[in-house]
Amino acid sequence: MSAPTLTRQVFDIRDLNLWYGDHHALKNINFPINKKEVTAIIGPSGCGKSTFIKTLNLMINMVPSVKMTGEINFNGQNILGEKMDLVELRKHVGMVFQKGNPFPQSIYDNVAYGPRVHGIKKKKHLDELVIKSLMDVALWEEVKDRLTAPALGLSGGQQQRLCIARALATKPDVLLMDEPTSALDPISTLKIEELILELKEKYTIVIVTHNMQQASRVSNKTAFFLMGELIELDSTSTIFSNPNDSRTEGYITGRFG
């Protein structure tokens, strides 16, 4: 008789509702997210995709009028509880935004920023983390001779990979990506997509994308959001070939959105 299967869920979101003031932006979201998978979130503009992903490390708390109910369970702990340490949460749940946003510092200091915040001071340890993180995003060979140069001197695609390296340097469990290629050229976009496929061997990744071809290329599961509701969540192959809901099919085939 085989041993019982341990849970693969890193996030278990239950009955999540979110309001911006009086606007009900997320409605009764139930959403499991599995370890070491890529989950893509698709849907038209204003449907709640970016709002949802920002709840997963509580970046959404920076908006003063936000109110949430329900549960966002991360590794078994409801992060909506009063005792959540946001610094610790964001160490484990990293975020990469739509446009590369390096700090106005050197390439090295950008990657070392997170580990320093979390108390790592020894140069040898920082050096190891910086090198590994840059290697993980296939940027090391491009920048190894100019680590002290300003990060803002990198190309757009390099800046985005640097920001991913910065997120990885704190050794997160989860990497959140909010339209990480929307400001990039096709070649840089391809590099980021190849990177996502490599990183999912080690990390859980949640990516918001307007590009449905991208979702089909990189993700294991796809979620379709519409007007603040999670309409459908299934394997990516099912969502794109045989969706259960006619609204999902309508969006994917271009009838709206």
Side-chain angles (χ1 to χ4, degrees), residues 12-251:
D12 183 19
I13 295 94
R14 299 184 183 183
D15 301 322
L16 175 66
N17 286 271
L18 181 146
W19 293 263
Y20 293 115
D22 295 329
H23 174 57
H24 197 178
L26 294 176
K27 304 168 185 174
N28 300 312
I29 306 295
N30 290 278
F31 197 143
I33 297 172
N34 288 342
K35 295 177 181 177
K36 294 184 181 179
E37 287 187 349
V38 179
T39 301
I41 302 176
I42 62 172
S45 296
C47 69
K49 303 186 301 295
S50 290
T51 292
F52 173 74
I53 201 173
K54 289 172 186 172
T55 67
L56 298 180
N57 69 350
L58 297 183
M59 290 290 288
I60 200 71
N61 284 4
M62 298 172 74
V63 181
S65 62
V66 158
K67 176 191 171 187
M68 287 182 279
T69 61
E71 297 179 10
I72 303 175
N73 296 296
F74 172 60
N75 288 334
Q77 180 182 5
N78 180 13
I79 66 173
L80 296 184
E82 293 179 8
K83 296 181 179 179
M84 193 64 233
D85 181 336
L86 292 182
V87 173
E88 188 67 14
L89 173 65
R90 290 167 190 164
K91 175 183 176 182
H92 293 287
V93 187
M95 186 95 175
V96 177
F97 295 95
Q98 187 169 1
K99 189 174 183 296
N101 59 339
F103 302 140
Q105 300 173 328
S106 71
I107 294 167
Y108 182 99
D109 287 339
N110 264 270
V111 183
Y113 177 83
R116 284 173 172 152
V117 167
H118 293 285
I120 295 174
K121 304 297 182 187
K122 289 185 178 179
K123 188 174 187 306
K124 182 181 177 184
H125 195 176
L126 287 171
D127 287 351
E128 290 170 353
L129 284 170
V130 169
I131 292 169
K132 184 179 186 307
S133 300
L134 289 171
M135 290 181 75
D136 282 349
V137 301
L139 194 56
W140 172 248
E141 290 298 326
E142 297 172 38
V143 303
K144 64 182 180 182
D145 296 324
R146 48 178 176 144
L147 294 177
T148 58
L152 294 173
L154 297 173
S155 70
Q158 288 174 325
Q159 287 187 19
Q160 190 63 295
R161 281 186 285 150
L162 178 67
C163 291
I164 296 172
R166 189 174 67 197
L168 296 182
T170 61
K171 299 184 177 179
D173 301 309
V174 181
L175 192 59
L176 309 176
M177 296 181 155
D178 192 1
E179 298 195 53
T181 63
S182 63
L184 301 181
D185 62 83
I187 293 173
S188 296
T189 294
L190 180 61
K191 285 186 177 181
I192 297 293
E193 289 184 5
E194 290 172 345
L195 177 60
I196 290 169
L197 292 173
E198 292 173 12
L199 291 176
K200 78 173 183 179
E201 300 297 320
K202 301 178 184 176
Y203 304 96
T204 302
I205 299 173
V206 183
I207 178 172
V208 168
T209 180
H210 270 110
N211 185 329
M212 285 181 283
Q213 289 75 26
Q214 181 173 80
S216 68
R217 286 192 294 263
V218 304
S219 67
N220 303 94
K221 289 195 171 67
T222 296
F224 172 56
F225 276 63
L226 183 65
M227 297 180 69
E229 295 183 41
L230 173 57
I231 303 301
E232 193 164 353
L233 169 66
D234 211 325
S235 71
T236 295
S237 58
T238 298
I239 290 289
F240 283 96
S241 64
N242 189 29
N244 285 320
D245 194 290
S246 60
R247 293 168 292 181
T248 310
E249 184 179 14
Y251 179 72

